[in-house]
Amino acid sequence: MSTDEEPAVESDPFSAQVTISLSVNGNEEHFHGDARTTVLDLLREVFGLTGTKKGCNRGECGACTLLVDGARVNACMMLAASADGRVVTTIEGLATGNELHPVQRAFIDHDAFQCGFCTAGQIMSAVGCIREGRTTSDEEIREWMSGNICRCSAYPQIAAAVAAAAKETV
């Protein structure tokens, strides 16, 4: 091959491209890229929203929980293409200006975090849990929040925070 020739580019037969539009925290966003991109990677790597954490990356820990059209979703398990035309809310979009969301305030008031790694996912799951009406008892809160793992074991404080926020938002 002479120096004037273009090097051969190997194409990946599995790298289909998608173009999507979605609302993220009230902002219209667009993405053109690999169809295998997850919502989690789209948010963190493309849009720079790093509040949603990458934990297990297998849908087991809940660190990446966010809301899609108001429903709880593990962002690591949802392809970005599936979010086309949908409304995504992350931890960054929960507060109104400098005013914390009632769940965020309750987590602070009840010391419902220790290391903080799971906190964003716990808060987003709590918001969904409250919206779903799954907060009538401590047992119900614990059951419906069970998809979110806290390695520091702050579960009593988390359940108390969810219960307090549920009373405030009703």
Side-chain angles (χ1 to χ4, degrees), residues 128-147:
C129 190
I130 292 167
R131 287 182 181 169
E132 295 161 12
R134 308 288 186 184
T135 58
T136 60
S137 67
D138 187 63
E139 293 76 23
E140 185 177 43
I141 291 169
R142 288 172 178 264
E143 176 67 26
W144 287 93
M145 292 286 295
S146 65

Side-chain angles (χ1 to χ4, degrees), residues 56-108:
C56 68
N57 210 29
R58 294 187 309 249
E60 297 173 358
C61 74
C64 66
T65 303
L66 46 74
L67 302 176
V68 176
D69 294 337
R72 296 184 277 179
V73 171
N74 286 343
C76 70
M77 299 301 293
M78 183 179 193
L79 292 176
S82 297
D84 187 32
R86 303 190 64 191
V87 176
V88 174
T89 306
T90 69
I91 192 70
E92 291 94 342
L94 209 51
T96 305
N98 290 329
E99 185 178 332
L100 293 177
H101 185 279
V103 174
Q104 291 172 309
R105 172 58 45 209
F107 267 64
I108 293 168

Side-chain angles (χ1 to χ4, degrees), residues 111-169:
D111 256 348
F113 52 88
Q114 288 182 31
C115 79
F117 189 80
C118 73
T119 304
Q122 294 279 1
I123 288 172
M124 297 308 293
S125 188
V127 170
C129 190
I130 292 167
R131 287 182 181 169
E132 295 161 12
R134 308 288 186 184
T135 58
T136 60
S137 67
D138 187 63
E139 293 76 23
E140 185 177 43
I141 291 169
R142 288 172 178 264
E143 176 67 26
W144 287 93
M145 292 286 295
S146 65
N148 294 80
I149 296 171
C150 173
R151 291 180 182 240
C152 300
S153 297
Y155 297 114
Q157 300 95 311
I158 291 168
V162 174
K167 289 177 186 168
E168 185 178 330
T169 58

Side-chain angles (χ1 to χ4, degrees), residues 7-91:
V9 176
E10 292 185 34
S11 71
D12 181 352
F14 300 106
S15 66
Q17 300 289 299
V18 294
T19 300
I20 65 169
S21 296
L22 64 158
S23 172
V24 179
N25 299 329
N27 300 313
E28 191 66 27
E29 300 287 356
H30 306 281
F31 169 71
H32 177 79
D34 192 324
R36 298 170 293 182
T37 303
T38 64
V39 170
L40 177 60
D41 289 335
L42 177 68
L43 293 170
R44 292 182 59 81
E45 297 172 17
V46 177
F47 299 150
L49 298 171
T50 58
T52 304
K53 302 301 180 211
K54 185 179 273 195
C56 68
N57 210 29
R58 294 187 309 249
E60 297 173 358
C61 74
C64 66
T65 303
L66 46 74
L67 302 176
V68 176
D69 294 337
R72 296 184 277 179
V73 171
N74 286 343
C76 70
M77 299 301 293
M78 183 179 193
L79 292 176
S82 297
D84 187 32
R86 303 190 64 191
V87 176
V88 174
T89 306
T90 69
I91 192 70

